[in-house]
Amino acid sequence: MRHTLFTLLAVIILISACNRSSDSSNKIYIGGQIVNPNVEYVILSRNNNDLDTLPLDSKNQFGKHLEGLETGIYTLKHPPENQILYVEPGDSLMIWLNTLQFDNSMNFSGRGSEKSSFLLDMFLNNQKDNDLIISNSKIKPGEFAKLTDSIKKVRADKLKKLEKKYKLSEKFKNIASTVINYEYYDLRERYTYLIEKYYHEFTSEVPAGFYNYRDNINFNNEDLQNYYVYTNLIDDYLRSRSIEDCDNIPDSGRECYNLANYKNIKRRILLVDSLINLKQMKNEFLDRLASRGITMADTKEGVDSILNVLEQVNYSYLEEARELANIHRNYFVGTDVNNRVLLNTNREETTYNSIIKKPTIVFVWSMHEPGYHMWQHRNIQQLRKKYPDIDFIGVNIDEGETKEWLRTVEAYNYDKNFEYQTSKRNIDKKVFRKYIYKIFFISPSGVIVDGDAKIQSPNFETEILEFLNR
């Protein structure tokens, strides 16, 4: 029923759009409807440059003919979320989505919509690949090679069917084929990491040619630099390579597999500097690694080491990194946080001293990383049930955006009894948001006893048990 209504809406709006413009062959029409909107507009951007803002009307609909847009991938932003779309001159793209399930609810229709739908499907498949990898991580490399070949064929066959049904441009066919290849490469990179770390005996059974695809990775693909499937591949490749390089260091041991270790992060920073030339993408990777390296360091040596390598590669935001380092130095193990001020969901100020009554795990999150905070909260909810002797507290760091924070808590049904927002920090929000990967284990007396834990780590629950037994 939802899609039937949306199709009727799309037809009406597209007919109206065509009537308003007799010559739309060089224009692109983008319109649609958003259910449960977060804000009263959407933004069209490309390569981190906002191109146009389209306001929502009283029915939460938007639409506009746009001129001068080049063929390619764009980002549709509806803060704090976003998703990609693909357009060419002459396209009339209609978008329907519900913010409560942003990516999974998104539906494209209209002229040229098949291209955006295909790329969205690839994006959603890539998100599911992690579960696929974990469920197949114990199979031998030869079997996994056959599995990835099969998955690649299914994707390629789907593209062939699309080509038969629609007249696709050569540029889109090239991009779609590349995306299929990159998802295939990424499956193998993720598997490589798991067997290197957990099933090292399999590494000697990797078939010849398993890694030949690495010669085909273009680390400077301008068309795909904003597309998750591509950037995720590069991220996973950097992870694998950093471990392989570490394995060649005498007596390196298991330290190689600690992705939060500042030495590992230094290796990835140097790899980014040597492989990526696209300024925007290079800065994004360096920014992510710089944030991770600084916030995960548990000593002054670690923090200073990351700052030194960032200076070495001429990192564009070195001053922000130094400010983040100054913030982090206040959260080393042994720090007393009792008097730090927070805001509860009733908009009342409180302190950690008033909140902490027993062993507490604090996880930090931002509305501007929706995929991550949803994943965080899903995992935390399971841990709450499993470890009732621990309080799990979520601290949102989007200070000053209290209304939006409360709306997000409500929209995602997060437990208001355990949700707080930072207050009176007087810290640059842009810098503070780089702190979202932090987990703090805090004693009943309000002292940080561990700041290096990671929810995604397979050892996380072991660390929880050690925390309880202190």
Side-chain angles (χ1 to χ4, degrees):
M1 183 66 177
R2 180 195 80 185
H3 295 303
T4 302
L5 291 173
F6 178 60
T7 301
L8 290 172
L9 172 68
V11 171
I12 293 169
I13 293 180
L14 288 175
I15 291 173
S16 174
C18 291
N19 287 339
R20 288 197 300 269
S21 175
S22 59
D23 180 19
S24 60
S25 60
N26 292 319
K27 297 179 181 179
I28 294 170
Y29 183 80
I30 296 177
Q33 185 177 40
I34 296 180
V35 178
N36 299 311
N38 297 319
V39 292
E40 297 177 349
Y41 57 86
V42 296
I43 298 171
L44 185 69
S45 72
R46 193 178 194 193
N47 299 337
N48 276 355
N49 295 316
D50 292 343
L51 305 176
D52 209 334
T53 299
L54 286 65
L56 303 185
D57 64 16
S58 59
K59 297 180 180 179
N60 297 328
Q61 297 171 7
F62 62 94
K64 186 175 183 179
H65 273 110
L66 301 161
E67 297 186 73
L69 296 185
E70 298 177 357
T71 293
I73 294 175
Y74 290 78
T75 300
L76 187 78
K77 299 178 181 178
H78 184 67
E81 316 233 33
N82 62 76
Q83 186 51 267
I84 61 100
L85 48 86
Y86 185 96
V87 291
E88 298 176 342
D91 284 351
S92 294
L93 191 63
M94 292 296 299
I95 304 151
W96 187 96
L97 65 89
N98 187 329
T99 61
L100 299 183
Q101 289 185 308
F102 195 90
D103 296 322
N104 289 300
S105 72
M106 185 171 282
N107 181 271
F108 295 103
S109 66
R111 186 166 59 246
S113 61
E114 67 281 350
K115 296 167 289 191
S116 293
S117 294
F118 181 86
L119 294 181
L120 175 62
D121 188 48
M122 291 297 295
F123 166 84
L124 294 173
N125 285 331
N126 193 266
Q127 286 192 313
K128 295 174 184 176
D129 282 346
N130 197 49
D131 291 336
L132 183 146
I133 295 292
I134 292 173
S135 62
N136 290 281
S137 60
K138 294 182 181 179
I139 68 174
K140 294 188 175 183
E143 295 176 61
F144 190 80
K146 292 177 183 177
L147 175 65
T148 52
D149 288 341
S150 175
I151 291 172
K152 180 182 177 183
K153 185 178 184 305
V154 169
R155 307 282 192 260
D157 288 345
K158 184 172 182 178
L159 179 58
K160 287 178 183 177
K161 289 180 182 178
L162 202 67
E163 288 180 47
K164 290 179 180 178
K165 188 174 181 180
Y166 300 97
K167 185 178 179 180
L168 303 175
S169 67
E170 286 302 315
K171 180 164 186 175
F172 177 76
K173 286 189 285 187
N174 288 335
I175 285 177
S177 296
T178 301
V179 168
I180 290 170
N181 287 332
Y182 283 176
E183 187 204 15
Y184 166 76
Y185 302 164
D186 193 34
L187 284 168
R188 294 197 171 194
E189 288 296 339
R190 295 195 212 184
Y191 174 78
T192 295
Y193 171 71
L194 285 179
I195 64 169
E196 283 278 0
K197 186 169 183 178
Y198 302 111
Y199 311 103
H200 202 70
E201 65 275 14
F202 285 171
T203 58
S204 61
E205 299 182 36
V206 174
F210 187 87
Y211 296 113
N212 285 352
Y213 64 85
R214 286 182 171 179
D215 295 333
N216 299 321
I217 300 176
N218 176 2
F219 293 93
N220 295 283
N221 190 317
E222 193 168 1
D223 290 327
L224 294 177
Q225 62 180 314
N226 293 310
Y227 188 38
Y228 174 85
V229 176
Y230 173 58
T231 57
N232 201 50
L233 162 65
I234 294 177
D235 197 34
D236 290 331
Y237 171 84
L238 294 171
R239 179 179 65 182
S240 299
R241 272 287 309 276
S242 70
I243 291 171
E244 291 166 10
D245 291 347
C246 181
D247 277 337
N248 293 323
I249 301 173
D251 302 319
S252 53
R254 301 301 296 173
E255 182 185 273
C256 293
Y257 305 98
N258 181 359
L259 299 179
N261 182 275
Y262 72 88
K263 294 179 182 178
N264 178 289
I265 292 175
K266 276 182 63 175
R267 286 193 293 274
R268 280 184 278 167
I269 288 173
L270 292 171
L271 280 169
V272 168
D273 187 52
S274 66
L275 294 171
I276 301 176
N277 298 319
L278 291 173
K279 184 177 180 180
Q280 175 217 327
M281 191 165 75
K282 182 173 185 174
N283 277 335
E284 285 184 1
F285 273 98
L286 289 177
D287 195 47
R288 193 183 314 159
L289 289 167
S291 302
R292 182 68 63 88
I294 291 169
T295 59
M296 288 299 175
D298 54 6
T299 64
K300 183 179 182 298
E301 177 193 6
V303 171
D304 291 345
S305 181
I306 295 297
L307 290 176
N308 289 338
V309 75
L310 291 173
E311 189 171 3
Q312 179 183 332
V313 300
N314 296 315
Y315 177 51
S316 298
Y317 306 106
L318 189 58
E319 288 308 311
E320 285 187 9
R322 288 181 176 137
E323 185 175 352
L324 183 63
N326 288 334
I327 294 170
H328 183 57
R329 289 186 182 105
N330 294 316
Y331 289 92
F332 283 151
V333 170
T335 301
D336 185 319
V337 297
N338 277 299
N339 294 323
R340 305 281 168 86
V341 180
L342 297 167
L343 204 65
N344 64 25
T345 52
N346 293 320
R347 299 175 182 255
E348 300 166 337
E349 287 190 347
T350 185
T351 62
Y352 280 105
N353 184 52
S354 300
I355 297 168
I356 295 176
K357 306 300 180 186
K358 58 183 180 179
T360 300
I361 293 178
V362 172
F363 63 100
V364 181
W365 64 279
S366 169
M367 296 178 294
H368 301 277
E369 294 285 347
Y372 190 70
H373 76 65
M374 289 168 61
W375 177 86
Q376 278 178 305
H377 281 81
R378 281 197 302 269
N379 282 274
I380 290 295
Q381 187 57 30
Q382 294 173 3
L383 292 169
R384 279 196 181 114
K385 295 175 182 177
K386 199 168 183 179
Y387 300 100
D389 293 334
I390 294 177
D391 277 339
F392 292 84
I393 292 177
V395 175
N396 175 267
I397 56 176
D398 304 311
E399 190 171 333
E401 299 176 73
T402 301
K403 181 180 178 182
E404 293 81 0
W405 162 60
L406 291 173
R407 180 183 174 83
T408 301
V409 169
E410 189 76 36
Y412 290 99
N413 198 30
Y414 295 157
D415 192 330
K416 294 180 182 179
N417 294 316
F418 299 102
E419 294 294 338
Y420 298 87
Q421 188 179 55
T422 57
S423 182
K424 295 184 177 179
R425 291 294 194 274
N426 297 318
I427 297 171
D428 187 318
K429 286 194 292 185
K430 182 180 177 183
V431 175
F432 206 18
R433 280 176 189 152
K434 296 176 182 180
Y435 227 59
I436 63 170
Y437 299 105
K438 290 302 292 181
I439 298 286
F440 295 107
F441 288 22
I442 302 178
S443 70
S445 61
V447 175
I448 297 174
V449 297
D450 189 351
D452 192 31
K454 300 182 295 298
I455 299 178
Q456 61 267 43
S457 168
N459 299 319
F460 188 60
E461 291 196 49
T462 301
E463 293 177 272
I464 290 176
L465 291 173
E466 290 174 353
F467 177 46
L468 279 173
N469 291 325
R470 290 188 183 188

